[in-house]
Amino acid sequence: KSLKLVLIFPLRTFIMPSMTYRTDYHIHTTFSDGKSPATDYIGPALSAGLSEIGFSEHLSLFREKQEWCMNPSNVTSYIEYISSLKEQFPDIKIKTGLEIDYIPGGEKELDLFLADLDLDYRIGSVHYFGDKTVDLNPDFYYGKDFNTLFEDYFDIVMAAASSGLFDIIGHCDLIRIFGHKPDFDPEDLYRNLARIFKENDVVFELNTNGRNRPLADFYPDRRFLHIFAEEKVPVCINSDAHLPARVGQYFDEAYGLLTAAGFTETATFTKRQRRMIRF
């Protein structure tokens, strides 16, 4: 009888690295209300497989002494500092942005302030509803008609998108942060919002930080992501990280949601010029 030689090799599992070009443009450091300096975010960004990281500190021109906002007088030094990191960390592209509070009626003053700033992108966000913010304290909602709040909040976000001041609109339905829901079906509101975004050529972000809030889900409402795809609104995925550990958080789930909704590309920015990259 002939003998057969059988060679047995140990079984190994090879995990292929993701080839998706991933960016995270919504990150806060100690320049505003982040918990760590910018350099602390680079390592986690590389570990998360990001190709680009973007810092976007809070800026408000119309509300003084807000602890979570950067002093406007520090904007130039902030931009210079982030630019200096690009040579220190050549393994990842570093972009410079701002997350800017949109306040109705302040468009001209804001436009003048932002005009000469060397930014890669501007994120416009609606935190303020009158003199109060919608996201810092659930007490804001007590005794108010949430249906009216919801509709009025969307009106302000659409005004922000129509202002021509911003490249990206941040967490476009932040009004959901504490888990409140309107009594009506808001699909038409999301459709109108998406159309305004498209008409004004702004990007919306799929913001994963809502998972860390009482809402425990992304912004915008995942049920209506298909509407933004149908209206051909460009998208990017952002973590809104205030801690290094949250850079790129929940991105696998986010990309899965976008793919299911019909998206195939994500927006990238350099010197406020947008480029779409397939994922």
Side-chain angles (χ1 to χ4, degrees), residues 3 7 40 49 85 88 112 131 164 168 199 214 242 256 265 273 276:
L3 295 177
L7 298 179
D40 287 1
L85 298 181
Q88 295 181 45
L112 184 63
D131 293 331
I168 303 167
E199 288 172 8
H242 292 68
E265 297 177 321
Q273 297 298 308
M276 302 303 296

Side-chain angles (χ1 to χ4, degrees), residues 31-243:
F31 271 98
S32 60
D33 63 342
K35 306 305 180 185
S36 297
T39 51
D40 287 1
Y41 291 81
I42 304 300
L46 291 169
S47 296
L50 299 183
S51 302
E52 299 185 21
I53 187 173
F55 298 98
S56 51
E57 304 300 347
H58 288 290
L59 174 70
S60 180
L61 295 187
F62 310 105
R63 298 291 186 270
E64 296 181 358
K65 296 181 180 179
Q66 295 290 347
E67 294 181 356
W68 48 278
C69 283
M70 176 170 51
N71 189 315
S73 64
N74 293 334
V75 168
T76 299
S77 59
Y78 156 70
I79 292 173
E80 291 174 350
Y81 175 73
I82 299 302
S83 295
S84 73
L85 298 181
K86 297 177 182 181
E87 293 184 4
Q88 295 181 45
F89 299 96
D91 293 336
I92 188 169
K93 292 182 180 179
I94 298 175
K95 300 297 175 69
T96 310
L98 286 170
E99 181 183 10
I100 305 149
D101 277 325
Y102 174 76
I103 306 292
E107 292 87 351
K108 289 184 179 179
E109 184 176 347
L110 190 56
D111 186 32
L112 184 63
F113 182 87
L114 295 172
D116 296 325
L117 298 184
D118 185 15
L119 298 172
D120 289 304
Y121 58 89
R122 303 172 182 173
I123 299 177
S125 293
V126 176
H127 296 99
Y128 282 95
F129 200 109
D131 293 331
K132 303 292 184 180
T133 59
V134 302
D135 58 328
L136 292 183
N137 195 321
D139 291 350
F140 169 80
Y141 297 88
Y142 292 166
K144 295 183 176 70
D145 179 357
F146 186 73
N147 290 339
T148 301
L149 286 178
F150 196 86
E151 292 179 310
D152 290 348
Y153 184 85
F154 269 59
D155 285 342
I156 301 174
V157 174
M158 286 189 282
S162 302
S163 70
L165 294 169
F166 309 117
D167 306 300
I168 303 167
I169 298 297
H171 39 59
C172 65
D173 55 0
L174 183 65
I175 195 78
R176 298 167 54 238
I177 187 170
F178 292 108
H180 298 292
K181 298 178 181 179
D183 294 335
F184 59 88
D185 183 352
E187 181 172 345
D188 287 344
L189 281 180
Y190 282 92
R191 180 73 67 180
N192 290 338
L193 185 67
R195 287 174 175 168
I196 290 294
F197 283 11
K198 180 61 178 178
E199 288 172 8
N200 291 278
D201 197 30
V202 296
V203 173
F204 83 99
E205 66 171 11
L206 181 56
N207 184 308
T208 64
N209 196 37
R211 288 286 295 273
N212 302 312
R213 306 305 186 191
L215 171 66
D217 204 357
F218 300 156
Y219 314 105
D221 191 325
R222 65 175 66 203
R223 296 177 299 164
F224 304 114
L225 286 174
H226 70 279
I227 290 176
F228 292 87
E230 291 164 6
E231 298 296 335
K232 295 180 170 52
V233 184
V235 67
C236 61
I237 298 176
N238 290 328
S239 69
D240 200 351
H242 292 68
L243 297 165

